[in-house]
Amino acid sequence: MVDTYKNGYEPTFDTAFAKEIGYVGERWIAKERRRGVLEEKVVFDPGQLRGLALSGGGIRSASFCMGVVQQLHRAGIIDRLHYMSTVSGGGFTGSSLSWFLSWKPQEGKRFGTELDNFPFTGGEPAGVRNASMAISSKTEAPIDGRMVLDYIRQRASYLNPGAGFTVVSAMAILLRSVLTSVIGFVLLMAIFSQLILHLGLFRENLGEAGIALPPALAFLASLDVLAAAGLLMLAILGVTVIFYSLFTGLPLPGTWDYALRRTYQKVAGFLLGLGIALLLLSLLHIVIDWLGGNHVRGDLPTLGTLSTTLGAVGGLAVRSLRDAKPGLMTGLAMALLPPVSLFLLVAGIGVLGHEIALYVVQAGGMLELAFLAATLVYCVWTNINLTGLHRFYRDRLMESFMPDPEDIRDDLQAAETSADDKALADICGMEDDGPYHLINTHVVLLGAKKARLRSREGDAFVMSRLYCGSEATGFIPTESWLPGPAWPAWIAMGKRVGAMRLPTAMAISGAALNPRAGADGQGATKGGAVSALLNLLNLRLGYWVPSPRKLGAGGFLPSYRTSPNFIFPGLFQGLFGFYHNENANWLELSDGGHFENTGIYELVRRRVRTIVFADGSTDPEIALQSFANVLEKIYIDFNVTVDFADKDAHFTSLMKGTGTPQDNLAQRLQFAGAGYAVGTIRYPKIDGKEQPAGLLIYIKSTMVRDLPVALYSYKATNPLFPSESLADQFFSEQQFEAYRALGFALTKSMVEKARATQVWAAALDIPFVAPAS
């Protein structure tokens, strides 16, 4: 049976892992030899694996994890890790690390894990460096770790990075995504209405429309001036959206692709804003006419547009309220707004589609055929991965965390970076330092065949250099997996345009906003009305990919599939939820935190013996919800437990108010007893044999004593620190530095304890330093 699989597909984790661990072992041996370890002393023991897990939590977690990674590097621990498993915000830092470690040598050197070449550590302070660079040519300045850190720190507000990108630009992209989707569904509704009219199931006296002029002119003539002008603005914008949607699916060179996206941003916001403003001004006139009994035909398209617009605005409000502070008003709004907005949106799309169908059917003949062909081209060609919010989100993350050397030297916002073409299959090479990177995502499976997957509505889906997949879907070699269009080589100019890229994988892992998915499997976006709204408006950060299982089976789909579009999977799987399971041709990937938000799950699956876990997740009450979620899943799925028997490093010491002594400062800042805890991992027997216990070192973003003074000052003016709202993805330099410094300080305390504890030091493979008597 296995011989019938294509493209190197592996149906089970065990068969894929056997090849993965062989590669990890080869990398380890090659790295040890580069370090100068004698060949006969190089040892790789699959039973003594060490891994780092970086949690989700957006830019907050990325900042905290940056400090953790820096301190682990200083202690020599990064160099002793075999695996790095990242989720969401932790993946911003982890993917940035993998990007820099995969750089080709520059000035005869390359980044690595030695003390003098790590991407985030070392080099002159910014002021000293800039002064020296003023004398010499900037192009001659070698890139060091401190320059990289400064570059990232200054771009912590990655969704509003400057250089022409503003909040207005982001809103324009948001509204473009909405309009692109609305156009698609209105066109599909028009085709459906045409069918209804031809079947005679809905009688309509077309003569009442009184069309003597060409349809388009008569349509505008029947409206008041403001409504006509507003619709004209939206029509012009609609044309630009259609052209954008058609061109963005082509295998354009990177420079052209960026230029297209940037040019669009400059016109979209103005046209859309003006059109909506004019339509809203015309609403008063329409309402007065209707109240007076003057029901004119031209009011229906305008009301349809207004209904659609109000539904869309309601959808955007729902998207914003999802991150709002819980309360009576928020709860009431989230109870009423989604169904009302959904009703207005569906009603508006229905009216607009029907009105368009009436004019097309009346014109008849070739216009009907042309309209049908144009609708199919638009709805099948438009790649909903590229025209939604995912692409904007991905580009901003890439430009901030994966810059090129010249961008770092000049300290300029990247207009594009070579990471845009960095295939996931090209990271963690044999010549690269650093741990083997696992990027965690969630595959949405509403109607999974297995009860366990169906109750979770999904499964853990991991992406790495060698394999991508999940238990539910099997595993496909990353080199053979082309989630993008399967372009012929002569069109793609020899470029593997469909290959999964590192920035794309990073952005999918951080796709926090997605229909039918929520943090740790919970949240408002899992609700039916909210999910339908997000699907209709294409307000998703997730990504549609072809199924590894289907590609492994071979046949027609892998070679001749289209891009993910409004019909397949957008309409049937996305909106209606049909065939949304592990056997589908298309799979929907979202934030890894929608399955589990720690990164521990995949490390435990691989029986990693020593795990260092950095937790920067949303947890203002230190309830450890994400940690509890993963403990439940690893017990159910792998029969693995974690217990905390060490009273001096118990997980309860992470909680607020457990610090001693209880003086005024401790009570005011709610000090925890410690910023780290240590647990014992109990793996199940293999072939009846007991397995050695593992070690879990848990570093938590919490306030403790003996931190840098600046952190107490920041806490005094920002009471929610270190759990400020996840809705804030526009970090300032000061915010980024506060979380980085916290991760750095807490990890330093952990390392000092580890060096003085023989069992911990042995587990981390660092020197043991006996404490002074």
Side-chain angles (χ1 to χ4, degrees):
M1 179 65 177
V2 175
D3 293 338
T4 63
Y5 294 125
K6 311 293 182 183
N7 304 316
Y9 171 78
E10 298 290 351
T12 67
F13 170 76
D14 289 341
T15 53
F17 179 61
K19 297 181 179 179
E20 178 187 285
I21 196 64
Y23 181 80
V24 170
E26 289 181 33
R27 285 190 79 230
W28 180 263
I29 293 171
K31 179 181 73 68
E32 291 293 272
R33 288 176 178 168
R34 286 196 301 272
R35 292 177 66 235
V37 179
L38 296 177
E39 186 170 347
E40 61 270 17
K41 293 187 177 182
V42 174
V43 177
F44 173 73
D45 183 357
Q48 295 291 337
L49 296 174
R50 292 176 290 276
L52 171 65
L54 302 179
S55 83
I59 187 63
R60 182 189 61 232
S61 182
S63 309
F64 177 76
C65 290
M66 181 70 75
V68 173
V69 167
Q70 285 181 299
Q71 189 59 250
L72 292 177
H73 164 254
R74 284 195 171 194
I77 295 174
I78 287 288
D79 191 54
R80 311 317 298 154
L81 299 176
H82 302 94
Y83 279 102
M84 175 174 63
S85 177
T86 65
V87 183
S88 195
F92 302 171
T93 292
S95 297
S96 181
L97 177 60
S98 291
W99 160 244
F100 285 110
L101 292 178
S102 68
W103 266 15
K104 299 305 178 188
Q106 46 125 6
E107 291 95 18
K109 297 181 180 180
R110 63 178 302 159
F111 283 121
T113 54
E114 299 296 327
L115 289 177
D116 63 344
N117 67 350
F118 194 64
F120 308 134
T121 301
E124 295 285 354
V128 176
R129 181 173 64 247
N130 292 338
S132 63
M133 288 171 61
I135 300 173
S136 61
S137 172
K138 288 186 179 182
T139 59
E140 296 176 357
I143 306 300
D144 60 48
R146 185 139 191 175
M147 293 171 70
V148 171
L149 178 61
D150 286 344
Y151 183 93
I152 294 174
R153 180 164 37 213
Q154 296 301 326
R155 286 152 186 83
S157 182
Y158 63 94
L159 293 178
N160 181 24
F165 287 100
T166 63
V167 173
V168 175
S169 301
M171 288 301 299
I173 296 300
L174 179 68
L175 295 175
R176 182 212 68 203
S177 177
V178 169
L179 190 55
T180 302
S181 185
V182 168
I183 288 174
F185 286 113
V186 166
L187 292 176
L188 289 174
M189 180 59 73
I191 296 298
F192 178 73
S193 294
Q194 282 180 257
L195 178 63
I196 296 297
L197 290 171
H198 281 300
L199 291 176
L201 300 178
F202 185 87
R203 297 292 178 183
E204 180 79 32
N205 185 353
L206 299 178
E208 288 182 5
I211 302 176
L213 297 170
L217 295 178
F219 176 65
L220 291 174
S222 66
L223 306 175
D224 65 86
V225 176
L226 287 174
L231 287 176
L232 184 60
M233 291 296 102
L234 293 182
I236 294 173
L237 181 58
V239 171
T240 67
V241 166
I242 291 172
F243 275 102
Y244 177 88
S245 300
L246 296 179
F247 276 97
T248 196
L250 292 173
L252 299 173
T255 304
W256 295 4
D257 197 17
Y258 266 80
L260 178 66
R261 298 205 289 273
R262 283 174 173 268
T263 301
Y264 185 87
Q265 293 165 17
K266 295 177 181 179
V267 299
F270 172 76
L271 291 174
L272 189 57
L274 182 59
I276 292 175
L278 292 171
L279 278 172
L280 291 175
L281 286 173
S282 71
L283 177 62
L284 179 61
H285 170 77
I286 295 170
V287 170
I288 292 174
D289 274 354
W290 273 64
L291 291 176
N294 301 321
H295 310 308
V296 295
R297 180 82 193 157
D299 290 342
L300 286 177
T302 308
L303 285 174
T305 303
L306 285 168
S307 179
T308 305
T309 301
L310 291 174
V313 170
L316 294 173
V318 169
R319 180 254 178 272
S320 299
L321 284 172
R322 129 186 194 278
D323 294 322
K325 185 178 181 180
L328 177 62
M329 295 305 297
T330 301
L332 185 62
M334 286 302 292
L336 297 177
L337 194 57
V340 171
S341 300
L342 182 61
F343 172 79
L344 290 171
L345 184 61
V346 172
I349 288 175
V351 170
L352 288 175
H354 184 64
E355 290 298 300
I356 292 173
L358 284 176
Y359 286 110
V360 172
V361 169
Q362 185 185 27
M366 294 301 295
L367 181 59
E368 282 197 83
L369 292 177
F371 182 75
L372 175 62
T375 297
L376 289 177
V377 168
Y378 180 80
C379 291
V380 173
W381 175 271
T382 299
N383 187 330
I384 56 178
N385 282 340
L386 303 183
T387 56
L389 299 179
H390 166 85
R391 191 62 174 265
F392 172 80
Y393 180 61
R394 176 246 195 208
D395 286 352
R396 301 294 80 75
L397 282 172
M398 177 184 70
E399 292 165 1
S400 297
F401 287 91
M402 300 179 185
D404 284 332
E406 55 271 22
D407 300 316
I408 298 174
R409 287 193 185 98
D410 297 338
D411 193 25
L412 297 176
Q413 182 65 29
E416 72 173 288
T417 84
S418 54
D420 193 46
D421 288 329
K422 188 67 174 182
L424 184 60
D426 292 337
I427 67 167
C428 301
M430 199 63 68
E431 70 282 4
D432 300 336
D433 283 353
Y436 184 83
H437 193 180
L438 303 173
I439 300 176
N440 295 277
T441 70
H442 168 75
V443 55
V444 181
L445 303 172
L446 299 177
K449 304 301 181 184
K450 294 183 178 181
R452 176 167 54 86
L453 299 176
R454 188 168 59 251
S455 67
R456 297 173 179 177
E457 297 188 354
D459 193 17
F461 192 102
V462 70
M463 293 186 283
S464 67
R465 175 190 172 92
L466 292 187
Y467 284 96
C468 296
S470 68
E471 177 194 354
T473 65
F475 296 83
I476 192 81
T478 306
E479 280 194 332
S480 305
W481 194 45
L482 303 178
W487 288 101
W490 64 272
I491 294 180
M493 297 174 286
K495 183 179 175 183
R496 296 176 74 248
V497 295
M500 175 58 68
R501 309 294 189 201
L502 175 61
T504 303
M506 171 181 64
I508 296 171
S509 181
L513 175 67
N514 209 68
R516 300 190 179 97
D520 291 317
Q522 303 175 27
T525 47
K526 290 178 66 69
V530 176
S531 291
L533 265 176
L534 298 181
N535 271 299
L536 280 171
L537 299 175
N538 201 19
L539 290 176
R540 56 161 24 93
L541 294 176
Y543 203 78
W544 291 97
V545 297
S547 166
R549 175 175 289 127
K550 293 296 183 178
L551 294 177
F556 180 82
L557 172 70
S559 300
Y560 301 102
R561 68 182 183 274
T562 63
S563 301
N565 54 60
F566 284 115
I567 301 176
F568 299 107
L571 182 64
F572 289 96
Q573 284 176 252
L575 185 59
F576 297 142
F578 296 152
Y579 208 53
H580 214 323
N581 58 45
E582 63 268 44
N583 295 320
N585 291 331
W586 288 100
L587 301 173
E588 185 177 15
L589 301 183
S590 69
D591 194 308
H594 294 159
F595 181 80
E596 71 92 6
N597 201 38
T598 69
I600 293 175
Y601 185 87
E602 288 297 334
L603 295 179
V604 169
R605 189 204 292 270
R606 288 159 174 78
R607 288 179 169 263
V608 173
R609 183 63 53 79
T610 303
I611 299 174
V612 179
F613 169 43
D615 185 3
S617 61
T618 302
D619 195 6
E621 299 304 319
I622 316 294
L624 310 181
Q625 179 179 345
S626 293
F627 186 58
N629 175 51
V630 75
L631 290 183
E632 175 187 311
K633 284 186 167 66
I634 62 174
Y635 175 70
I636 293 172
D637 295 356
F638 310 126
N639 194 26
V640 173
T641 60
V642 180
D643 59 69
F644 293 81
D646 189 339
K647 294 181 179 180
D648 294 331
H650 198 271
F651 79 91
T652 54
S653 64
L654 302 173
M655 296 183 174
K656 294 194 300 185
T658 58
T660 56
Q662 286 292 322
D663 54 22
N664 290 336
L665 184 62
Q667 293 177 6
R668 178 183 176 187
L669 299 183
Q670 288 290 286
F671 284 149
Y676 60 89
V678 176
T680 302
I681 307 173
R682 308 288 183 186
Y683 285 106
K685 298 178 182 179
I686 298 179
D687 298 328
K689 296 181 179 179
E690 294 285 350
Q691 299 300 300
L695 197 71
L696 173 67
I697 300 176
Y698 186 166
I699 305 169
K700 177 69 177 176
S701 56
T702 189
M703 293 297 292
V704 297
R705 289 187 181 275
D706 301 323
L707 292 174
V709 174
L711 291 180
Y712 297 129
S713 174
Y714 185 85
K715 172 71 174 178
T717 54
N718 298 272
L720 294 179
F721 176 78
S723 282
E724 291 167 289
S725 172
L726 192 59
D728 181 9
Q729 293 295 298
F730 300 89
F731 265 32
S732 65
E733 176 186 22
Q734 184 187 26
Q735 276 180 294
F736 182 97
E737 182 56 23
Y739 283 92
R740 186 209 63 80
L742 179 63
F744 191 84
L746 296 179
T747 307
K748 182 180 180 182
S749 298
M750 182 277 293
V751 169
E752 290 172 352
K753 175 70 173 179
R755 289 193 186 282
T757 308
Q758 193 164 8
V759 174
W760 298 13
L764 293 169
D765 197 19
I766 58 176
F768 166 65
V769 180
S773 57

